[in-house]
Amino acid sequence: MRGRTAYAQFTGWIGRIAVAIIALAGGAAAFAAPPRCELRPSGRQIIKIGVTGMARPVLLYVPHATRPWKALPLILNLHGSGSNGAQQLDRSGLMEIADRHHVILASPDGGLALPSGGLAWNIPGVPTTAGTLPPADALDDVAHILALIDTLIAKGCTDPGRVYATGLSGGGRMVSLLGCVLSDRLAAIAPVVGLRAGAPDHSTPAKPDVTSCRPTRPMPVVAFSGSADTTNPIDGGGAKYWQYGLLAAERRWADINGCYGFIESEPVRSGRLKRRYLGCRPRTDVVSYVLKGGSHEWGVADMQLLWRFLSTHKRRVNDPFVDASLPVGK
């Protein structure tokens, strides 16, 4: 009898030990090391994003000092209408920032081919520089950029809390759209001569339609423009595909970010006027720099100011709302 009891106790211990080993193994799997980034730390390279047969190439710039076990910040660098990703990478001057501060740059191509040459971004309901709306069967650029972000995060290359976006003109308009619809991915945006805050209002085109930009969290914004921009003037007008300007757009972002509405202005380096809304929610600044005499070109932007702003903002990955008790997009 005692033998059977001892045997039962022994087998019970063996069973409990087996369960404990399985539990420990499961815990070890849960805390497995993150994936090592397989991008080459060698400057320019092309990756494919999308399913087989429909994948789109994306030009990356990966700084030479990149370590495969360290996820880096990512800057989406979007070209203007009539251009492409490679031209924007060369034009932007961001490669120096990438090398100095260990940042990955992604310069994708827009999904629309313009009749005059070059590419543009598919922003539904908004005409391109050709004056036509994107066709219904046009490539989905928002989905493409979302897949790009998620791929680089999943591969261990990008820090999910430090994804930023900048772009020139039509690329700035696309960046603004991303700020509206991908606020759960982006930490901050920096449009150049292209800040938007949704589509123009149908009844009052000089103002943004507040229903067309409803981010799920406040979005830090820094914008660059020129006082002599006749294509997209800061106070509105210009080309028909723009309608409202920087001042109306930043005012709407200030509303979204819960700012008080007061503006602080001060001259800064290189002939720029800095405008900053006050009283915004923590870490959701709305700032613009207007270059005196600047036109509709990338040169109105200052890369040091741009990176200084972006690098101070990090999205809370596990808590996308800066303050969930406050309404967003009022």
Side-chain angles (χ1 to χ4, degrees):
M1 188 73 176
R2 287 182 180 177
R4 287 198 297 270
T5 302
Y7 178 77
Q9 290 177 339
F10 175 75
T11 55
W13 291 335
I14 292 297
R16 286 193 289 272
I17 291 171
V19 170
I21 291 173
I22 292 171
L24 288 171
F31 290 99
R36 291 168 65 92
C37 181
E38 296 180 356
L39 295 176
R40 302 186 310 275
S42 58
R44 296 171 186 254
Q45 55 196 276
I46 300 290
I47 63 171
K48 295 289 187 70
I49 298 296
V51 297
T52 303
M54 299 180 63
R56 295 168 62 178
V58 175
L59 174 62
L60 300 181
Y61 182 84
V62 183
H64 291 79
T66 300
R67 298 174 180 175
W69 59 85
K70 183 174 178 59
L72 300 182
L74 169 68
I75 299 179
L76 303 167
N77 183 21
L78 306 189
H79 64 79
S81 299
S83 185
N84 57 51
Q87 292 175 351
Q88 176 62 18
L89 181 60
D90 290 334
R91 171 189 292 120
S92 67
L94 283 171
M95 287 183 284
E96 181 181 348
I97 295 291
D99 284 330
R100 181 181 303 173
H101 299 285
H102 307 291
V103 179
I104 295 175
L105 305 177
S107 295
D109 290 334
L112 297 176
L114 294 175
S116 58
L119 303 170
W121 299 98
N122 177 10
I123 303 176
V126 177
T128 68
T129 53
T132 57
L133 293 175
D137 61 349
L139 294 173
D140 188 335
D141 284 332
V142 170
H144 175 55
I145 291 174
L146 174 59
L148 168 62
I149 295 170
D150 286 350
T151 297
L152 291 175
I153 291 173
K155 290 182 177 296
C157 302
T158 292
D159 180 344
R162 295 188 292 169
V163 179
Y164 311 104
T166 187
L168 169 65
S169 189
R173 180 162 45 197
M174 184 67 187
V175 164
S176 301
L177 172 62
L178 298 178
C180 296
V181 300
L182 295 186
S183 61
D184 60 341
R185 295 295 195 282
L186 300 179
I189 60 173
V192 177
V193 298
L195 180 65
R196 306 278 85 191
D201 187 88
H202 289 294
S203 59
T204 313
K207 296 181 179 180
D209 177 1
V210 299
T211 66
S212 63
C213 182
R214 296 282 194 181
T216 59
R217 61 178 288 274
M219 177 59 59
V221 175
V222 62
F224 296 85
S225 192
S227 65
D229 186 342
T230 57
T231 302
N232 182 24
I234 61 174
D235 55 357
K240 291 184 178 180
Y241 46 82
W242 284 110
Q243 300 294 325
Y244 67 88
L246 168 75
L247 303 184
E250 66 178 6
R251 189 177 306 118
R252 173 59 188 150
W253 280 111
D255 288 342
I256 291 171
N257 289 355
C259 307
Y260 292 154
F262 299 105
I263 303 173
E264 177 183 77
S265 298
E266 61 175 328
V268 294
R269 68 190 208 184
S270 304
R272 290 177 175 83
L273 179 68
K274 178 182 179 181
R275 295 164 47 85
R276 181 173 70 93
Y277 275 80
L278 304 178
C280 305
R281 295 185 182 97
R283 300 177 299 282
T284 58
D285 310 271
V286 177
V287 176
S288 65
Y289 293 92
V290 178
L291 178 63
K292 183 178 180 180
S295 59
H296 194 75
E297 61 182 0
W298 184 261
V300 303
D302 181 296
M303 293 304 96
Q304 299 300 325
L305 293 174
L306 183 148
W307 174 244
R308 185 183 304 165
F309 181 92
L310 296 182
S311 63
T312 60
H313 294 88
K314 183 174 182 178
R315 183 176 65 86
R316 298 177 184 176
V317 176
N318 296 323
D319 180 14
F321 294 96
V322 172
D323 188 341
S325 68
L326 297 174
V328 176
K330 62 182 180 180

